[in-house]
Amino acid sequence: MGMEITESLLLDSRNVSGGSAGEEAIPPWKDQITVRGLVVSSMLGALFCIITHKLNLTVGIIPSLNVAAGLLGFFFVKSWTGFVSKLGFSIKPFTRQENTVIQTCVVACYGLAFSGGFGSYLISMDERTYQLIGDDYPGNRSQDVKNPGLGWMIGFMFVVSFLGLFSLVPLRKVMILDYKLTYPSGTATAMLINSFHTNSGAELATKQVNCLGKYLSISLFWSCFKWFFSGIGDACGFDNFPSLGLTLYKNTFYFDFSPTYVGCGLICPHIVNCSALLGAIISWGFLWPFISKHAGDWYPADLGSNDFKGLYGYKVFIAISLILGDGLYNLIKIVAITIREMINKGSRRSIIMESMDSETSSVILEQRKRDQIFLKDRIPLWVAASGYVGLASISTVAIPAIFPPLRWYLVLSSYIIAPALAFCNSYGTGLTDWSLASTYGKIGLFIVASLVGRNGGVVAGLAASGVMMSIVSTAADLMQDFRTGYLTLSSAKSMFVSQLIGTAMGCVVAPLTFWLFWTAFNIGDPDGPYKAPYAVIFREMAILGTEGFSELPKHCLVICSGFFISALLINLLRDLTPKRVSQFIPIPMAMAVPFYIGAYFAIDMFVGTMVLFAWESVNRKNAEDYTGAVASGLICGDGIWTIPSALLSIFRVNPPICMYFGPTGK
């Protein structure tokens, strides 16, 4: 019944605030893609790529920026049309379809900053990660090193990022109309865009944009102010402020005044933020101090802080066990849900049709209008098939040239099974709003690494992870966009073309913006601001695939097994208990992140969630309207400061002051 209710609510809100879509002139699909829209998309895509890289290289938690993309796209185009109109020029009106195309383009662009592996599998191959693990670590070979290069990264993006778009195009009618998958994020984005293009919605959108601009300015000024006190090195400034005392500071418990993490705390659900804090307390509050007491027994006491044969090894492998346990459980769960829903689709369709027959005639006409527009501009099957086969052929030749250990037949095998996995991920995302692209990537990593073996298995596994992750991620994103386009009366062809354009933008913009970070900062330094936590985790997973568990520190495998099983049981408990109970049960994936990188970001995000909780308690409606704008402003302002900060670093301009805190008398 959830789908019928969601659909009806969307229709009702449209009819009350903006009238029937039958009264609205729908522009042809080519007119939905405009030059001004593409210009705005490229600017926002670059900004969101920078934000995504910063989050990827610091904590690895990426909140959804779809709301900010839709809101800023509306603001920029509305501002432009208003300005040009005042000059006396005639200009095309800004439609919800054009707004949808902009949002699709931006999300496709910055999505590659995540699925492109710039914070995970790509930089897992670099020399810094290799040296961090240690050249004496079994399975960590100097031959399995490939440093980032702008040319090969752009080439790799182009040969792997488009296949997912062609793999499921023929099934768009089945997924959206026949199965009636909800794609909750796509539906929410459609509701947002639809509301913008009504009188009352446009008024609220203007207020939201003003709010976003206000907090963006505050965040930008604060980030600039912090820079002046950050000195030389990684121990200075507000980022190292012992706000909870020096004792807790040594165990990474401190508030580091980061607008980005506070903004993430505002966007992410309360349970995600609380889970991260709980993980920080368990690991840095109890587990690591306990294991440290056994230095000299469980592991040599004279090892460095980043030696995998010591405490650092426990941190990495226990985090991996939680991540894999959570991913495996959700994979099994979503595959089971998918099979069950497909078996029951016939009876569900009859129930939905019966419900639709009881609706008012205006709602039925609205539904038919949407179906008609969605099916009008067909994407020929031969285009999808030839596109997939052609790109797969090129990729099968090109990828072994970039990564020689990944043989052509392994690439070809990946592309043969990829459409089935893309379908599973897209179907599961439509039901649960949970994309398991990274889980499929890890499965590909382990399988290929074990098949290739010690002689090149690390690089082959990491590259295979990227191939699989890109296909299943972009396929799910495309279906999400089809759902958004369906509900905003946008052409399926304009959605597909805008996704292609956005992906092409991302293939260039994502590597370029990453290169800014790579050249300006010491990426991968475990004591620096850009730790790139998943780089070490992915490389260690690849090594595990080739070497096994023989070199883990004492009792590490037992502890890892315990946390792996705990992740399975916690997830099972979340699904078996009533919602009033399960909403308080933590999420293992969110708990795992601070195990490796520290507690400070979890405290920042918890501050964000406490602010939101207080705000909702005082004025829930106001919080619902403006939380996304405030959070987006905080994140975007801090992200914008990254550009001048990186340029200052490139030109060796250092902050003038080092604000440092230490014990009295030292």
Side-chain angles (χ1 to χ4, degrees):
M1 292 300 290
M3 279 187 272
E4 294 88 335
I5 292 172
T6 301
E7 194 81 6
S8 299
L9 283 175
L10 186 70
L11 292 169
D12 290 345
S13 67
R14 289 270 317 276
N15 291 333
V16 169
S17 59
S20 162
E23 302 169 3
E24 174 187 359
I26 308 299
W29 77 268
K30 290 183 180 179
D31 292 343
Q32 296 174 21
I33 304 172
T34 62
V35 174
R36 68 190 180 192
L38 295 180
V39 171
V40 169
S41 299
S42 62
M43 293 189 300
L44 292 179
L47 172 61
F48 287 176
C49 276
I50 290 172
I51 293 169
T52 303
H53 286 316
K54 182 170 184 177
L55 291 169
N56 248 334
L57 297 171
T58 50
V59 298
I61 294 178
I62 314 295
S64 173
L65 298 174
N66 295 32
V67 171
L71 185 60
L72 287 173
F74 175 84
F75 166 70
F76 280 123
V77 178
K78 271 291 187 181
S79 300
W80 169 252
T81 56
F83 173 73
V84 173
S85 297
K86 287 181 180 179
L87 296 179
F89 293 97
S90 176
I91 195 164
K92 287 183 178 180
F94 182 42
T95 64
R96 70 187 69 203
Q97 289 79 21
E98 186 179 355
N99 204 161
T100 304
V101 165
I102 293 172
Q103 186 268 343
T104 298
C105 229
V106 173
V107 172
C109 181
Y110 90 78
L112 291 188
F114 169 71
S115 64
F118 299 101
S120 54
Y121 60 84
L122 277 192
I123 59 170
S124 293
M125 307 177 192
D126 82 310
E127 190 169 0
R128 296 177 188 176
T129 307
Y130 159 74
Q131 292 175 346
L132 185 61
I133 294 176
D135 55 5
D136 61 338
Y137 191 85
N140 189 39
R141 309 185 316 149
S142 59
Q143 296 93 322
D144 295 326
V145 170
K146 188 172 184 65
N147 288 312
L150 204 52
W152 75 258
M153 287 192 302
I154 292 176
F156 179 68
M157 290 294 100
F158 270 105
V159 297
V160 302
S161 299
F162 291 91
L163 281 106
L165 303 181
F166 289 94
S167 63
L168 293 187
V169 168
L171 299 180
R172 66 185 179 90
K173 178 180 178 294
V174 174
M175 306 285 267
I176 304 300
L177 298 185
D178 296 344
Y179 292 160
K180 295 189 181 294
L181 298 175
T182 54
Y183 290 98
S185 290
T187 298
T189 304
M191 294 180 70
L192 180 78
I193 292 174
N194 283 335
S195 70
F196 286 168
H197 296 269
T198 62
N199 292 332
S200 59
E203 182 180 350
L204 176 60
T206 301
K207 293 179 180 178
Q208 289 173 329
V209 167
N210 291 336
C211 180
L212 187 150
K214 173 184 174 182
Y215 283 91
L216 185 151
S217 302
I218 293 173
S219 176
L220 180 60
F221 172 79
W222 174 246
S223 299
C224 178
F225 178 77
K226 286 201 306 178
W227 177 83
F228 283 93
F229 298 89
S230 57
I232 301 175
D234 301 315
C236 306
F238 286 93
D239 291 343
N240 296 276
F241 194 98
S243 47
L244 301 177
L246 288 171
T247 302
L248 287 175
Y249 173 80
K250 292 178 181 178
N251 282 333
T252 72
F253 283 94
Y254 57 92
F255 178 65
D256 74 347
F257 299 91
S258 169
T260 295
Y261 301 153
V262 174
C264 288
L266 286 168
I267 291 179
C268 291
H270 292 305
I271 189 61
V272 171
N273 301 317
C274 293
S275 298
L277 182 62
L278 178 62
I281 293 171
I282 291 173
S283 56
W284 293 90
F286 296 100
L287 188 58
W288 304 152
F290 171 76
I291 294 177
S292 297
K293 292 180 181 179
H294 293 275
D297 179 17
W298 289 11
Y299 60 91
D302 56 348
L303 296 178
S305 60
N306 300 320
D307 195 312
F308 276 82
K309 296 179 180 178
L311 180 61
Y312 194 68
Y314 292 95
K315 294 177 182 179
V316 172
F317 288 106
I318 292 175
I320 289 174
S321 65
L322 274 173
I323 291 170
L324 292 180
D326 187 275
L328 178 63
Y329 179 89
N330 282 288
L331 176 64
I332 295 172
K333 170 187 168 182
I334 290 179
V335 168
I337 291 173
T338 299
I339 294 172
R340 185 188 67 194
E341 293 296 317
M342 291 179 66
I343 292 173
N344 296 333
K345 68 180 184 295
S347 59
R348 288 183 62 85
R349 190 180 300 126
S350 63
I351 293 172
I352 291 171
M353 291 306 297
E354 182 180 340
S355 173
M356 289 302 299
D357 289 341
S358 66
E359 295 287 346
T360 63
S361 58
S362 62
V363 173
I364 296 174
L365 290 173
E366 179 81 13
Q367 183 75 44
R368 290 175 180 171
K369 181 74 171 179
R370 284 197 177 124
D371 293 350
Q372 179 185 355
I373 292 172
F374 186 72
L375 296 174
K376 179 183 176 183
D377 297 316
R378 294 183 179 277
I379 302 165
L381 177 61
W382 68 267
V383 171
S386 60
Y388 188 84
V389 172
L391 287 170
S393 302
I394 295 171
S395 187
T396 301
V397 175
I399 289 180
I402 300 173
F403 305 107
L406 186 58
R407 303 298 184 187
W408 67 268
Y409 51 86
L410 294 174
V411 179
L412 181 60
S413 300
S414 299
Y415 289 140
I416 291 173
I417 65 173
L421 299 179
F423 173 81
C424 292
N425 190 47
S426 298
Y427 198 107
T429 303
L431 292 171
T432 65
D433 207 32
W434 191 290
S435 175
L436 295 178
S438 60
T439 301
Y440 287 106
K442 295 182 185 79
I443 292 172
L445 184 155
F446 276 113
I447 292 175
V448 172
S450 61
L451 288 175
V452 175
R454 298 182 179 183
N455 188 21
V458 171
V459 168
L462 292 170
S465 171
V467 171
M468 194 61 65
M469 191 170 163
S470 295
I471 293 174
V472 299
S473 176
T474 52
D477 289 345
L478 178 64
M479 286 300 160
Q480 193 94 254
D481 290 331
F482 275 146
R483 173 67 177 176
T484 302
Y486 171 73
L487 295 174
T488 58
L489 300 176
S490 303
S491 166
K493 188 173 288 186
S494 71
M495 289 291 92
F496 182 66
V497 173
S498 63
Q499 187 87 13
L500 288 174
I501 295 172
T503 301
M505 288 180 182
C507 289
V508 178
V509 173
L512 284 175
T513 48
F514 169 76
W515 200 248
L516 181 70
F517 282 88
W518 183 258
T519 54
F521 306 109
N522 187 18
I523 304 298
D525 180 3
D527 300 317
Y530 295 101
K531 297 178 175 63
Y534 282 99
V536 168
I537 287 174
F538 268 72
R539 189 174 184 91
E540 277 295 341
M541 282 193 279
I543 292 173
L544 280 179
T546 60
E547 295 289 321
F549 298 92
S550 58
E551 294 299 321
L552 295 182
K554 192 175 182 180
H555 302 304
C556 185
L557 182 58
V558 175
I559 298 173
C560 287
S561 300
F563 276 95
F564 180 85
I565 295 171
S566 297
L568 297 176
L569 294 177
I570 290 171
N571 275 299
L572 184 63
L573 194 62
R574 282 177 57 85
D575 287 336
L576 293 180
T577 54
K579 189 173 183 179
R580 66 178 185 275
V581 177
S582 64
Q583 63 180 333
F584 298 107
I585 298 176
I587 300 172
M589 187 76 75
M591 292 175 61
V593 180
F595 270 67
Y596 173 65
I597 65 173
Y600 59 92
F601 86 92
I603 293 176
D604 288 8
M605 293 179 67
F606 187 73
V607 168
T609 211
M610 291 303 295
V611 169
L612 178 59
F613 181 79
W615 193 356
E616 289 174 334
S617 300
V618 174
N619 190 334
R620 177 170 289 274
K621 179 66 169 64
N622 190 265
E624 290 174 353
D625 288 342
Y626 294 102
T627 295
V630 172
S632 299
L634 292 174
I635 295 171
C636 291
D638 201 19
I640 290 173
W641 171 249
T642 300
I643 300 174
S645 174
L647 293 175
L648 289 170
S649 179
I650 290 172
F651 290 110
R652 302 294 184 265
V653 178
N654 297 315
I657 303 170
C658 174
M659 183 173 67
Y660 174 76
F661 300 88
T664 304
K666 291 188 179 181

